Amino acid sequence: MEKQMLINRLKEVVGSDYVLHSDMDRTLYSYDASLMKGKPDVVVIPNSTEEVSKVVRLAYQEKIPVIGRGSGTNLSGGTVAVKGGIVIHFSRMKRILEIDLPNRTVTVEPGIITLDLQNLLLKQGFVYAPDPASQKVSTLGGNFGENSGGPHCLKYGVTTNHVLGAELVLYDGSVVWTGGKSQDNPGYDLTGLLVGSEGTLGIVTKIMLKLIPSPEAVKTMLAIYDSITDASNTVSAIIAEGIVPATLEMMDNLVLKAVEESVHAGYPVDAAAVLIIELDGMADGMDRQAEKIMEICRRYKVREIRLAKSDAERADLWAGRKGAFGAVSRLRPSYLVCDGTVPRTKLPEVLSQVLEVGKKYNLPIGNVFHAGDGNLHPLILFDERNQEELERVHKVAAEILKICTDAGGTISGEHGIGTEKLKEMSLIFSETDLDFMRQIKKAFDPYDLWNPGKVIPPI
Ligand SMILES: Cc1cc2nc3c(=O)[nH]c(=O)nc-3n(C[C@H](O)[C@H](O)[C@H](O)COP(=O)(O)OP(=O)(O)OC[C@H]3O[C@@H](n4cnc5c(N)ncnc54)[C@H](O)[C@@H]3O)c2cc1C
């Protein structure tokens, strides 16, 4: 089908205002928060499952790739149209369809912003727990696609642990439901397979999520260290003691300085590292747990521990952490966020190896990460306009992921594979593993039209 005819047909489905195809539009949709670029042929903004289904059916008839897109904040090239095609942007499909408090579920459309949903639920005394630091702008569809984590996922688990079911548009435009409100659904766990599949197996148009009651009490501490190793050892020691805080986040000196200049959260700019430690749950016993944590911090030579005394102080501590990625962009024009996971006991040695790689390639690296999960996010700072630096930055990222896998870890904690880590898949999967994944992909997508070029490396 000619491009103009395709555009006309899409306009009939979603309305002319919701089909974008100028060069400017295509450029605006050609990137996400990774370093990848690729222009789609056309962008559609549907308003219902029915419209999505019709768009997908048309794409299937014409064998055109389809890429789902929330806010495009993913960090691995997941929404970049590397083979052109139709981007389906979910910004109009952001309704809350049902809040079922007795059954503790909420059903939403994929375009809803994560924090908007969380704020609304909080007013009713409930929490949707996964809280990516991008929650102000990320969507539930994107969280679903990436199986996102966040600071509170140490205690509560990542997105997949909170998704009960989904409405899925299949490759030919037909629509099915997976999962549901019961705890254990018969048949294959398709919902489990879909969460984190980065839009390569289908597109979800409704998502059913689990709710938990909001905690009775919260305590947030900032532990300040003169050595990264002491901070890292504190992390392992807290968990070994049988305490699982809601969060255990770490920031190193480079990040602390950048955050302080930008967010003014009250962080110490001369510290080697800080931990943000948050406890939540029943008020009863929380003081005892906090005391135990402080004792462990002291065991590892903490310089100072500050306890947030008010909601405002607590909000400041979090504003700094959640604004950290943005803040480092003050230091260099570009940064690449690496995302690897290691057993938390390996944090001290892995962090020092990461900094060594930075020195070897002469690129500054800052660290801000989910330390409790052993999920590192080295931020490699560079200038994207400098081709030679760009090449170096990719080498640094590849070496860091190798360090993580050598330490018994893996190549992603939460940011997915996208296009950025295709090569690294072979660090953790054999050819037989990858072939098995290719067979699954083929069953969901016989013509390789769902977000092609992502997750599974080509043969
Ligand atoms: C500053 C910053 C901080 C971040 N912090 C975190 C963090 O703490 N934890 C974390 O996990 N991530 C984090 N991220 C990464 C990113 O925000 C998450 O991956 C987020 O879930 C992406 O949401 P999105 O709406 O932007 O999705 P997009 O980037 O638009 O899409 C992500 C993936 O989901 C697919 N997708 C989108 N909608 C659908 C749908 N309806 N059906 C099927 N597939 C779909 C897309 O095709 C793509 O593969 C951060 C990013 C930034 C820029």
CSV table of all heavy atoms in Angstrom, one decimal, residues 386-439:
chain,number,residue,atom,x,y,z
A,386,ASN,N,30.4,14.4,20.0
A,386,ASN,CA,31.8,14.0,19.7
A,386,ASN,C,31.8,12.5,19.4
A,386,ASN,O,31.6,11.7,20.3
A,386,ASN,CB,32.6,14.3,20.9
A,386,ASN,CG,34.1,13.9,20.8
A,386,ASN,OD1,34.4,13.0,20.0
A,386,ASN,ND2,35.0,14.5,21.5
A,387,GLN,N,31.9,12.2,18.1
A,387,GLN,CA,31.8,10.8,17.6
A,387,GLN,C,32.8,9.8,18.4
A,387,GLN,O,32.4,8.7,18.7
A,387,GLN,CB,32.1,10.7,16.1
A,387,GLN,CG,31.8,9.4,15.4
A,387,GLN,CD,30.3,8.9,15.7
A,387,GLN,OE1,29.4,9.7,15.8
A,387,GLN,NE2,30.1,7.6,15.9
A,388,GLU,N,34.0,10.3,18.6
A,388,GLU,CA,35.0,9.5,19.2
A,388,GLU,C,34.6,9.2,20.7
A,388,GLU,O,34.7,8.1,21.1
A,388,GLU,CB,36.3,10.2,19.1
A,388,GLU,CG,37.5,9.5,19.6
A,388,GLU,CD,37.8,9.6,21.1
A,388,GLU,OE1,37.5,10.7,21.6
A,388,GLU,OE2,38.2,8.6,21.7
A,389,GLU,N,34.0,10.2,21.4
A,389,GLU,CA,33.6,10.0,22.7
A,389,GLU,C,32.4,9.0,22.8
A,389,GLU,O,32.3,8.1,23.6
A,389,GLU,CB,33.1,11.3,23.4
A,389,GLU,CG,34.2,12.0,24.1
A,389,GLU,CD,33.7,13.0,25.1
A,389,GLU,OE1,32.5,13.0,25.5
A,389,GLU,OE2,34.5,13.8,25.6
A,390,LEU,N,31.5,9.1,21.8
A,390,LEU,CA,30.4,8.2,21.7
A,390,LEU,C,30.8,6.8,21.5
A,390,LEU,O,30.3,5.9,22.2
A,390,LEU,CB,29.5,8.6,20.4
A,390,LEU,CG,28.2,7.9,20.2
A,390,LEU,CD1,27.3,8.2,21.4
A,390,LEU,CD2,27.5,8.5,19.0
A,391,GLU,N,31.9,6.6,20.7
A,391,GLU,CA,32.4,5.2,20.6
A,391,GLU,C,32.9,4.7,21.9
A,391,GLU,O,32.7,3.6,22.3
A,391,GLU,CB,33.4,5.1,19.5
A,391,GLU,CG,32.8,5.1,18.1
A,391,GLU,CD,33.8,5.5,17.0
A,391,GLU,OE1,35.0,5.4,17.2
A,391,GLU,OE2,33.3,6.0,16.0
A,392,ARG,N,33.7,5.6,22.6
A,392,ARG,CA,34.3,5.2,23.9
A,392,ARG,C,33.2,4.9,24.9
A,392,ARG,O,33.3,3.9,25.7
A,392,ARG,CB,35.1,6.4,24.4
A,392,ARG,CG,36.6,6.1,24.2
A,392,ARG,CD,37.4,7.2,25.0
A,392,ARG,NE,37.3,8.5,24.4
A,392,ARG,CZ,37.4,9.6,25.1
A,392,ARG,NH1,37.5,9.6,26.4
A,392,ARG,NH2,37.3,10.8,24.4
A,393,VAL,N,32.1,5.6,24.9
A,393,VAL,CA,31.0,5.4,25.9
A,393,VAL,C,30.4,4.0,25.7
A,393,VAL,O,30.1,3.3,26.7
A,393,VAL,CB,30.0,6.6,25.8
A,393,VAL,CG1,28.8,6.3,25.0
A,393,VAL,CG2,29.6,7.0,27.2
A,394,HIS,N,30.2,3.6,24.5
A,394,HIS,CA,29.7,2.3,24.2
A,394,HIS,C,30.6,1.2,24.7
A,394,HIS,O,30.2,0.2,25.3
A,394,HIS,CB,29.3,2.1,22.8
A,394,HIS,CG,28.1,2.8,22.3
A,394,HIS,ND1,26.9,2.6,22.9
A,394,HIS,CD2,27.9,3.8,21.4
A,394,HIS,CE1,26.0,3.4,22.4
A,394,HIS,NE2,26.5,4.1,21.5
A,395,LYS,N,31.9,1.4,24.6
A,395,LYS,CA,32.9,0.5,25.1
A,395,LYS,C,32.8,0.4,26.6
A,395,LYS,O,32.9,-0.7,27.2
A,395,LYS,CB,34.3,0.9,24.7
A,395,LYS,CG,34.6,0.6,23.2
A,395,LYS,CD,36.0,0.9,22.9
A,395,LYS,CE,36.2,0.8,21.4
A,395,LYS,NZ,37.3,1.6,20.8
A,396,VAL,N,32.7,1.5,27.2
A,396,VAL,CA,32.6,1.6,28.7
A,396,VAL,C,31.4,0.8,29.2
A,396,VAL,O,31.5,-0.1,30.1
A,396,VAL,CB,32.5,3.0,29.2
A,396,VAL,CG1,32.3,3.0,30.7
A,396,VAL,CG2,33.8,3.8,28.9
A,397,ALA,N,30.2,1.0,28.5
A,397,ALA,CA,29.0,0.4,28.9
A,397,ALA,C,29.1,-1.1,28.8
A,397,ALA,O,28.7,-1.9,29.6
A,397,ALA,CB,27.8,0.9,28.1
A,398,ALA,N,29.7,-1.6,27.6
A,398,ALA,CA,29.9,-3.0,27.4
A,398,ALA,C,30.8,-3.6,28.5
A,398,ALA,O,30.5,-4.7,29.0
A,398,ALA,CB,30.5,-3.3,26.0
A,399,GLU,N,31.9,-2.9,28.8
A,399,GLU,CA,32.8,-3.5,29.8
A,399,GLU,C,32.1,-3.5,31.2
A,399,GLU,O,32.3,-4.5,32.0
A,399,GLU,CB,34.1,-2.6,29.9
A,399,GLU,CG,35.0,-2.9,28.7
A,399,GLU,CD,36.4,-2.5,28.9
A,399,GLU,OE1,36.9,-2.3,30.1
A,399,GLU,OE2,37.1,-2.3,27.9
A,400,ILE,N,31.3,-2.6,31.5
A,400,ILE,CA,30.6,-2.6,32.8
A,400,ILE,C,29.6,-3.8,32.9
A,400,ILE,O,29.6,-4.5,33.9
A,400,ILE,CB,29.8,-1.2,33.1
A,400,ILE,CG1,30.9,-0.1,33.3
A,400,ILE,CG2,28.9,-1.4,34.2
A,400,ILE,CD1,30.3,1.3,33.4
A,401,LEU,N,28.9,-4.0,31.8
A,401,LEU,CA,28.0,-5.2,31.8
A,401,LEU,C,28.8,-6.5,32.0
A,401,LEU,O,28.3,-7.4,32.6
A,401,LEU,CB,27.1,-5.2,30.6
A,401,LEU,CG,26.1,-4.0,30.6
A,401,LEU,CD1,25.3,-4.0,29.3
A,401,LEU,CD2,25.2,-4.0,31.8
A,402,LYS,N,29.9,-6.5,31.4
A,402,LYS,CA,30.8,-7.8,31.5
A,402,LYS,C,31.2,-7.9,32.9
A,402,LYS,O,31.2,-9.0,33.5
A,402,LYS,CB,32.0,-7.6,30.5
A,402,LYS,CG,32.9,-8.8,30.5
A,402,LYS,CD,32.4,-9.9,29.7
A,402,LYS,CE,33.4,-11.0,29.5
A,402,LYS,NZ,33.8,-11.7,30.6
A,403,ILE,N,31.6,-6.8,33.6
A,403,ILE,CA,32.0,-6.9,35.0
A,403,ILE,C,30.8,-7.4,35.8
A,403,ILE,O,31.0,-8.3,36.7
A,403,ILE,CB,32.4,-5.4,35.5
A,403,ILE,CG1,33.7,-5.0,34.8
A,403,ILE,CG2,32.5,-5.4,37.0
A,403,ILE,CD1,34.0,-3.5,35.1
A,404,CYS,N,29.6,-6.9,35.5
A,404,CYS,CA,28.4,-7.4,36.3
A,404,CYS,C,28.2,-8.9,36.1
A,404,CYS,O,28.0,-9.6,37.1
A,404,CYS,CB,27.2,-6.7,35.8
A,404,CYS,SG,27.2,-4.9,36.3
A,405,THR,N,28.3,-9.4,34.8
A,405,THR,CA,28.0,-10.8,34.6
A,405,THR,C,29.2,-11.6,35.2
A,405,THR,O,28.9,-12.7,35.8
A,405,THR,CB,27.8,-11.1,33.1
A,405,THR,OG1,28.9,-10.7,32.4
A,405,THR,CG2,26.5,-10.5,32.6
A,406,ASP,N,30.4,-11.2,35.1
A,406,ASP,CA,31.5,-11.9,35.7
A,406,ASP,C,31.4,-12.0,37.2
A,406,ASP,O,31.9,-13.0,37.8
A,406,ASP,CB,32.9,-11.2,35.4
A,406,ASP,CG,33.3,-11.4,34.0
A,406,ASP,OD1,32.7,-12.2,33.3
A,406,ASP,OD2,34.3,-10.7,33.5
A,407,ALA,N,30.7,-11.0,37.8
A,407,ALA,CA,30.5,-11.0,39.3
A,407,ALA,C,29.3,-11.9,39.6
A,407,ALA,O,28.8,-11.9,40.8
A,407,ALA,CB,30.3,-9.6,39.8
A,408,GLY,N,28.7,-12.6,38.7
A,408,GLY,CA,27.5,-13.4,39.0
A,408,GLY,C,26.2,-12.7,38.8
A,408,GLY,O,25.2,-13.1,39.3
A,409,GLY,N,26.3,-11.5,38.2
A,409,GLY,CA,25.0,-10.7,38.0
A,409,GLY,C,24.5,-10.8,36.6
A,409,GLY,O,24.7,-11.8,35.9
A,410,THR,N,23.7,-9.8,36.2
A,410,THR,CA,23.1,-9.9,34.9
A,410,THR,C,23.1,-8.5,34.2
A,410,THR,O,23.5,-7.5,34.8
A,410,THR,CB,21.7,-10.5,35.0
A,410,THR,OG1,21.2,-10.7,33.7
A,410,THR,CG2,20.7,-9.6,35.8
A,411,ILE,N,22.6,-8.4,33.0
A,411,ILE,CA,22.8,-7.2,32.2
A,411,ILE,C,21.6,-6.2,32.3
A,411,ILE,O,21.7,-5.2,31.6
A,411,ILE,CB,23.0,-7.6,30.7
A,411,ILE,CG1,21.8,-8.4,30.1
A,411,ILE,CG2,24.2,-8.5,30.5
A,411,ILE,CD1,21.8,-8.6,28.6
A,412,SER,N,20.6,-6.5,33.1
A,412,SER,CA,19.6,-5.5,33.3
A,412,SER,C,18.9,-5.7,34.6
A,412,SER,O,18.6,-6.9,34.9
A,412,SER,CB,18.6,-5.5,32.1
A,412,SER,OG,17.5,-4.6,32.5
A,413,GLY,N,18.7,-4.7,35.3
A,413,GLY,CA,17.9,-4.8,36.6
A,413,GLY,C,16.5,-4.4,36.3
A,413,GLY,O,15.6,-4.8,37.0
A,414,GLU,N,16.3,-3.4,35.4
A,414,GLU,CA,14.9,-2.8,35.2
A,414,GLU,C,14.8,-2.1,33.9
A,414,GLU,O,13.6,-1.8,33.5
A,414,GLU,CB,14.6,-1.9,36.4
A,414,GLU,CG,15.6,-0.8,36.6
A,414,GLU,CD,15.4,0.1,37.8
A,414,GLU,OE1,14.6,-0.3,38.6
A,414,GLU,OE2,15.9,1.2,37.8
A,415,HIS,N,15.8,-1.8,33.2
A,415,HIS,CA,15.7,-0.9,32.0
A,415,HIS,C,15.5,-1.7,30.7
A,415,HIS,O,15.4,-1.1,29.6
A,415,HIS,CB,16.9,0.1,31.9
A,415,HIS,CG,17.0,1.0,33.0
A,415,HIS,ND1,18.1,1.8,33.2
A,415,HIS,CD2,16.1,1.3,34.0
A,415,HIS,CE1,17.9,2.5,34.3
A,415,HIS,NE2,16.7,2.2,34.8
A,416,GLY,N,15.5,-3.0,30.8
A,416,GLY,CA,15.2,-3.8,29.6
A,416,GLY,C,16.4,-3.9,28.7
A,416,GLY,O,17.5,-3.4,29.0
A,417,ILE,N,16.2,-4.6,27.5
A,417,ILE,CA,17.3,-4.9,26.6
A,417,ILE,C,17.2,-3.9,25.4
A,417,ILE,O,18.2,-3.4,25.0
A,417,ILE,CB,17.2,-6.3,26.1
A,417,ILE,CG1,17.2,-7.3,27.3
A,417,ILE,CG2,18.3,-6.7,25.1
A,417,ILE,CD1,18.5,-7.2,28.1
A,418,GLY,N,16.0,-3.7,24.9
A,418,GLY,CA,15.8,-2.9,23.7
A,418,GLY,C,16.7,-3.2,22.6
A,418,GLY,O,16.9,-4.4,22.2
A,419,THR,N,17.3,-2.2,22.0
A,419,THR,CA,18.3,-2.4,21.0
A,419,THR,C,19.7,-2.3,21.6
A,419,THR,O,20.7,-2.8,21.0
A,419,THR,CB,18.2,-1.3,19.9
A,419,THR,OG1,18.2,-0.1,20.5
A,419,THR,CG2,17.0,-1.5,19.0
A,420,GLU,N,19.8,-1.6,22.7
A,420,GLU,CA,21.1,-1.2,23.3
A,420,GLU,C,21.9,-2.4,23.8
A,420,GLU,O,23.1,-2.4,23.7
A,420,GLU,CB,20.9,-0.2,24.4
A,420,GLU,CG,21.9,0.9,24.3
A,420,GLU,CD,21.5,2.0,25.2
A,420,GLU,OE1,21.3,1.8,26.4
A,420,GLU,OE2,21.4,3.2,24.8
A,421,LYS,N,21.2,-3.5,24.2
A,421,LYS,CA,22.0,-4.5,24.9
A,421,LYS,C,21.9,-5.9,24.1
A,421,LYS,O,22.0,-6.9,24.7
A,421,LYS,CB,21.6,-4.7,26.3
A,421,LYS,CG,21.8,-3.5,27.2
A,421,LYS,CD,21.5,-3.8,28.6
A,421,LYS,CE,21.4,-2.6,29.4
A,421,LYS,NZ,20.7,-2.8,30.6
A,422,LEU,N,21.5,-5.8,22.8
A,422,LEU,CA,21.3,-7.0,22.1
A,422,LEU,C,22.6,-7.9,22.1
A,422,LEU,O,22.5,-9.1,22.3
A,422,LEU,CB,21.0,-6.7,20.6
A,422,LEU,CG,19.6,-6.2,20.4
A,422,LEU,CD1,19.4,-5.7,18.9
A,422,LEU,CD2,18.5,-7.2,20.8
A,423,LYS,N,23.7,-7.2,22.0
A,423,LYS,CA,25.0,-8.0,21.9
A,423,LYS,C,25.2,-8.7,23.3
A,423,LYS,O,25.7,-9.9,23.3
A,423,LYS,CB,26.2,-7.1,21.7
A,423,LYS,CG,26.6,-7.1,20.2
A,423,LYS,CD,28.0,-6.8,20.0
A,423,LYS,CE,28.6,-5.6,20.5
A,423,LYS,NZ,28.6,-4.3,20.4
A,424,GLU,N,24.9,-8.0,24.4
A,424,GLU,CA,25.2,-8.5,25.7
A,424,GLU,C,24.3,-9.7,26.1
A,424,GLU,O,24.5,-10.4,27.0
A,424,GLU,CB,25.0,-7.4,26.8
A,424,GLU,CG,26.2,-6.5,26.8
A,424,GLU,CD,26.4,-5.6,25.7
A,424,GLU,OE1,25.3,-5.3,25.1
A,424,GLU,OE2,27.5,-5.1,25.4
A,425,MET,N,23.2,-10.0,25.3
A,425,MET,CA,22.3,-11.1,25.6
A,425,MET,C,23.1,-12.4,25.7
A,425,MET,O,22.8,-13.3,26.4
A,425,MET,CB,21.2,-11.2,24.6
A,425,MET,CG,20.1,-10.2,24.8
A,425,MET,SD,19.1,-10.4,26.3
A,425,MET,CE,17.8,-11.5,25.7
A,426,SER,N,24.2,-12.5,24.8
A,426,SER,CA,24.9,-13.7,24.8
A,426,SER,C,25.8,-13.9,26.0
A,426,SER,O,26.4,-15.0,26.2
A,426,SER,CB,25.7,-13.8,23.5
A,426,SER,OG,26.6,-12.7,23.5
A,427,LEU,N,25.9,-12.8,26.8
A,427,LEU,CA,26.7,-13.0,28.0
A,427,LEU,C,26.0,-13.9,29.1
A,427,LEU,O,26.5,-14.5,29.9
A,427,LEU,CB,27.0,-11.6,28.7
A,427,LEU,CG,27.9,-10.7,28.0
A,427,LEU,CD1,28.0,-9.4,28.8
A,427,LEU,CD2,29.3,-11.3,27.9
A,428,ILE,N,24.6,-13.9,28.9
A,428,ILE,CA,23.8,-14.6,29.9
A,428,ILE,C,23.0,-15.7,29.4
A,428,ILE,O,22.5,-16.6,30.1
A,428,ILE,CB,22.9,-13.6,30.8
A,428,ILE,CG1,22.1,-12.7,29.8
A,428,ILE,CG2,23.7,-12.9,31.8
A,428,ILE,CD1,21.0,-11.9,30.6
A,429,PHE,N,22.8,-15.7,28.0
A,429,PHE,CA,22.0,-16.8,27.4
A,429,PHE,C,22.8,-17.6,26.4
A,429,PHE,O,23.6,-17.0,25.6
A,429,PHE,CB,20.7,-16.2,26.7
A,429,PHE,CG,19.8,-15.6,27.7
A,429,PHE,CD1,19.6,-14.2,27.7
A,429,PHE,CD2,19.1,-16.3,28.6
A,429,PHE,CE1,18.7,-13.6,28.6
A,429,PHE,CE2,18.2,-15.8,29.5
A,429,PHE,CZ,18.0,-14.4,29.5
A,430,SER,N,22.5,-18.9,26.3
A,430,SER,CA,23.2,-19.7,25.3
A,430,SER,C,22.4,-19.6,24.0
A,430,SER,O,21.2,-19.0,24.0
A,430,SER,CB,23.2,-21.2,25.7
A,430,SER,OG,21.8,-21.6,25.7
A,431,GLU,N,22.9,-20.1,22.9
A,431,GLU,CA,22.2,-20.0,21.6
A,431,GLU,C,20.9,-20.8,21.8
A,431,GLU,O,19.8,-20.4,21.2
A,431,GLU,CB,23.0,-20.6,20.5
A,431,GLU,CG,23.5,-19.7,19.4
A,431,GLU,CD,22.6,-18.4,19.1
A,431,GLU,OE1,21.5,-18.6,18.4
A,431,GLU,OE2,22.9,-17.3,19.5
A,432,THR,N,20.9,-21.9,22.5
A,432,THR,CA,19.7,-22.7,22.7
A,432,THR,C,18.6,-21.9,23.5
A,432,THR,O,17.4,-21.9,23.1
A,432,THR,CB,20.0,-24.0,23.5
A,432,THR,OG1,21.1,-24.6,23.0
A,432,THR,CG2,18.8,-24.9,23.6
A,433,ASP,N,19.0,-21.1,24.5
A,433,ASP,CA,18.1,-20.2,25.2
A,433,ASP,C,17.5,-19.2,24.2
A,433,ASP,O,16.3,-19.0,24.2
A,433,ASP,CB,18.8,-19.4,26.3
A,433,ASP,CG,19.4,-20.3,27.4
A,433,ASP,OD1,18.9,-21.4,27.6
A,433,ASP,OD2,20.4,-19.8,28.0
A,434,LEU,N,18.4,-18.6,23.4
A,434,LEU,CA,17.9,-17.6,22.5
A,434,LEU,C,17.0,-18.1,21.5
A,434,LEU,O,16.0,-17.5,21.1
A,434,LEU,CB,19.1,-16.8,21.9
A,434,LEU,CG,19.9,-16.0,22.8
A,434,LEU,CD1,21.2,-15.5,22.2
A,434,LEU,CD2,19.2,-14.8,23.4
A,435,ASP,N,17.3,-19.3,21.0
A,435,ASP,CA,16.4,-20.0,20.0
A,435,ASP,C,15.0,-20.2,20.6
A,435,ASP,O,14.0,-20.1,19.9
A,435,ASP,CB,17.0,-21.3,19.5
A,435,ASP,CG,17.8,-21.1,18.3
A,435,ASP,OD1,17.6,-20.0,17.6
A,435,ASP,OD2,18.6,-21.9,17.9
A,436,PHE,N,15.0,-20.7,21.8
A,436,PHE,CA,13.7,-20.9,22.5
A,436,PHE,C,12.9,-19.6,22.6
A,436,PHE,O,11.7,-19.6,22.3
A,436,PHE,CB,14.0,-21.5,23.9
A,436,PHE,CG,12.8,-21.7,24.7
A,436,PHE,CD1,11.8,-22.5,24.2
A,436,PHE,CD2,12.6,-21.3,26.0
A,436,PHE,CE1,10.6,-22.8,24.9
A,436,PHE,CE2,11.5,-21.5,26.8
A,436,PHE,CZ,10.5,-22.3,26.2
A,437,MET,N,13.6,-18.5,22.9
A,437,MET,CA,12.9,-17.2,22.9
A,437,MET,C,12.4,-16.8,21.5
A,437,MET,O,11.3,-16.3,21.3
A,437,MET,CB,13.8,-16.1,23.4
A,437,MET,CG,14.1,-16.2,24.9
A,437,MET,SD,15.1,-14.8,25.4
A,437,MET,CE,16.1,-15.6,26.6
A,438,ARG,N,13.2,-17.1,20.5
A,438,ARG,CA,12.8,-16.8,19.1
A,438,ARG,C,11.5,-17.6,18.8
A,438,ARG,O,10.6,-17.1,18.1
A,438,ARG,CB,13.9,-17.2,18.1
A,438,ARG,CG,15.0,-16.2,18.2
A,438,ARG,CD,16.1,-16.4,17.1
A,438,ARG,NE,17.3,-15.6,17.4
A,438,ARG,CZ,18.4,-16.1,17.9
A,438,ARG,NH1,18.6,-17.4,18.0
A,438,ARG,NH2,19.4,-15.3,18.2
A,439,GLN,N,11.4,-18.8,19.3
A,439,GLN,CA,10.2,-19.6,19.0
A,439,GLN,C,9.0,-19.0,19.6
A,439,GLN,O,7.9,-19.0,19.1
A,439,GLN,CB,10.4,-21.1,19.5
A,439,GLN,CG,11.3,-21.9,18.6
A,439,GLN,CD,11.6,-23.2,19.3
A,439,GLN,OE1,10.8,-23.9,19.8
A,439,GLN,NE2,12.9,-23.6,19.2
